[in-house]
Amino acid sequence: MATLLDALTAAVNHHMSGHADAAADGYRRILVAEPAQPDALHLSGVLRAQCGDPVSAVRCIGRAVRVRPAAPAPWGHLGAALRAAEMPQRAEPVLRRALALDPADGDALEALGASLHALAHYPTARRWLERADRLRPGHATTQLNLGTVLRDLRRFDEAEACFDAVLARSPASAEAHLARAVGRLVRGDLRAGWEGFEHRWHRFATPPWAGQPPGGATILLHMDQGFGDAIQFVRYAPLVAQIAAQGGGRVILETHLLLYRLFNRCLGSAVQVLVRGENPPPHDLHCPLMSLPRAFGTGLAEIPAGIPYLGPAPDDVLLWRDRLEALDDTGENGAGLRVGLVWAGNPQHRNDRNRSIPASALRPLLAVPGVRIVSLQTGEAAADLARLTGTAIPNAMERVRDFADTAAILANLDLLVTVDTAIAHLAGAIGVPCWLMLPHVPDWRWMLDRADSPWYPSMRLFRQPRPGDWTTTLGTAAAVLKAHAARAVRTKAG
């Protein structure tokens, strides 16, 4: 008769052999018989993490550490699962506990460094990752994480050495190519960066278009990243259409429903715009929107910056003018500059904790006289302003259907103040003045230190001087806004 130990041994053998379903079934049967069996809880959680379900892994391994709190390995795996589940604040103390029990746990060292990196504790993250690298020299994931931290510390040569070491052993490592590409792009070395960016995931098996005359072929342009990326790089679509038309070809742009009205109105005369479906439309060549800068050999001097390249329908602008005026009547800000405000991005974005701003930090902006603040915030964060004492800020997004509506709202503003999210790209694309609040380590497209953007001439960049320091950033923006509002009053009076 098989014992519980026999069943556990069989499940572990399946696990080690890569038979995930059989291993999961074995662990499940053990836990039905003995719900608190610590090894089955632990290893079942590890398997769930390996299968891409870190949230479920956290629950399972969490039960294991409660049953057997002195065992170091479950603590390390729990911390790694918390980190994979985008919960680095919870991961940090768990991983410190794991390392207190086993200081030589390389996986826990690496996970702690990566978690601290996600929390923008860059020097500390570097120390833990260097310790992990000394413990197991040449470990690819450790070197990749260390290189990423060094890149964000602006130690670019050392970062490239880490990425190059990974690529020397694994030349096809997409993660290393992309990490190295980001370091080059953020420094303005665009052409080298575009090459590395080609290692991201591709959807189609058809041949890629890389700038060559297509003859009579149909070129399919398609989204492969987020809304902001699509808005930024759709500027190239008319250029592709010009090249295609010279040889009797044509261009199709496949996009998200929320972008369809905007893109179709602005590009529809030269490009056929379709809503993305389950299967792509018939085509001969394809190109992701993010690959177009590479296809055109774009360096800093070659960025197509003709603004606007998108714009709202005039009827929509008039409709939203009336709606915004009605909202002004319900506010308490008085007459003055109409300023749109967005302080939080998509909470599912992996870097959202660093790029989004707590609503409480917005008080300096809200206190500027001569300004009518209009919230353009969406999602759960939209309710945050109402919790601030003494504010009555109208939200214009409740009746918005898509980005075409948002563009019409922006056209009725004097200024947009926003964090790094899609609406910043939309404002830049239609030429609305936009102030972008950036974390200390910005996304690559905003590069380093400069206060302007070659992608969007109407944009001004306000950067954190230190990780997490929104107080200085917003204080500076509020002072500049106060001067703008006072100047507007003087101009109106004169």
Side-chain angles (χ1 to χ4, degrees), residues 299-381:
L300 283 175
E302 293 82 27
I303 291 174
I307 304 294
Y309 58 88
L310 297 177
D315 288 347
D316 286 346
V317 174
L318 293 175
L319 174 65
W320 280 101
R321 182 194 65 186
D322 294 340
R323 289 178 176 176
L324 290 172
E325 288 176 354
L327 287 175
D328 288 342
D329 291 339
T330 66
E332 299 177 1
N333 294 309
L337 295 177
R338 182 183 281 141
V339 178
L341 183 60
V342 178
W343 60 93
N346 181 354
Q348 303 304 315
H349 190 281
R350 64 183 304 174
N351 195 41
D352 188 64
R353 67 181 57 84
N354 291 319
R355 68 172 185 164
S356 290
I357 300 174
S360 59
L362 301 173
R363 293 183 187 276
L365 286 175
L366 302 178
V368 174
V371 172
R372 294 173 291 167
I373 298 289
V374 179
S375 171
L376 304 187
Q377 182 63 53
T378 60
E380 294 183 5

Side-chain angles (χ1 to χ4, degrees), residues 14-311:
H14 284 307
H15 192 163
M16 298 296 290
S17 299
H19 304 146
D21 290 342
D25 184 63
Y27 295 138
R28 182 187 60 79
R29 291 175 181 274
I30 294 167
L31 292 171
V32 168
E34 188 176 330
Q37 211 290 324
D39 292 311
L41 286 169
H42 172 208
L43 296 174
S44 177
V46 170
L47 180 63
R48 295 179 193 197
Q50 292 168 343
C51 292
D53 187 4
V55 174
S56 176
V58 166
R59 291 195 297 268
C60 206
I61 305 173
R63 290 172 59 197
V65 299
R66 289 192 293 272
V67 173
R68 195 163 58 188
W75 284 102
H77 288 138
L78 176 59
L82 286 163
R83 175 222 165 191
E86 304 293 343
M87 293 185 276
Q89 288 175 309
R90 289 181 58 189
E92 181 186 355
V94 169
L95 290 163
R96 290 185 184 276
R97 174 70 179 273
L99 290 166
L101 293 168
D102 180 7
D105 185 339
D107 289 334
L109 287 166
E110 177 192 300
L112 179 56
S115 298
L116 290 165
H117 177 221
L119 294 169
H121 300 159
Y122 304 116
T124 310
R126 176 190 176 187
R127 288 195 292 272
W128 285 105
L129 287 166
E130 286 178 336
R131 181 172 162 185
D133 189 49
R134 289 193 297 271
L135 182 68
R136 46 184 192 185
H139 188 273
T141 306
T142 299
Q143 288 199 315
L144 184 61
N145 283 323
L146 177 58
T148 303
V149 171
L150 289 166
R151 183 193 70 203
D152 290 348
L153 284 167
R154 303 192 183 188
R155 304 181 73 90
F156 293 109
D157 290 343
E158 295 169 67
E160 289 239 348
C162 289
F163 302 142
D164 289 345
V166 175
L167 290 169
R169 291 186 296 274
S170 303
S173 171
E175 294 86 353
H177 280 290
L178 287 169
R180 186 171 65 177
V182 168
R184 293 175 175 180
L185 289 168
V186 78
R187 285 178 285 170
D189 186 3
L190 299 189
R191 291 194 182 94
W194 303 137
E195 291 298 323
F197 244 46
E198 287 304 293
H199 289 266
R200 67 192 187 281
W201 175 79
H202 291 289
R203 178 181 170 213
F204 302 120
T206 49
W209 182 76
Q212 72 274 20
T218 296
I219 303 172
L220 175 64
L221 307 180
H222 55 95
M223 292 176 60
D224 69 324
Q225 302 286 316
F227 292 121
D229 301 295
I231 292 168
Q232 180 176 1
F233 297 112
V234 78
R235 70 182 71 204
Y236 288 90
L239 304 179
V240 181
Q242 291 175 12
I243 294 174
Q246 292 171 5
R250 68 190 188 102
V251 175
I252 300 173
L253 170 62
E254 185 190 55
T255 190
H256 193 282
L257 176 62
L258 293 178
L259 287 167
Y260 171 77
R261 270 205 313 142
L262 179 67
F263 286 179
N264 188 55
R265 178 186 174 276
C266 299
L267 305 171
S269 61
V271 176
Q272 182 183 4
V273 182
L274 300 175
V275 175
R276 176 172 175 166
E278 184 175 347
N279 297 309
H283 62 283
D284 303 299
L285 302 167
H286 83 97
C287 189
L289 289 175
M290 283 283 292
S291 292
L292 289 172
R294 173 180 177 269
F296 282 89
T298 303
L300 283 175
E302 293 82 27
I303 291 174
I307 304 294
Y309 58 88
L310 297 177

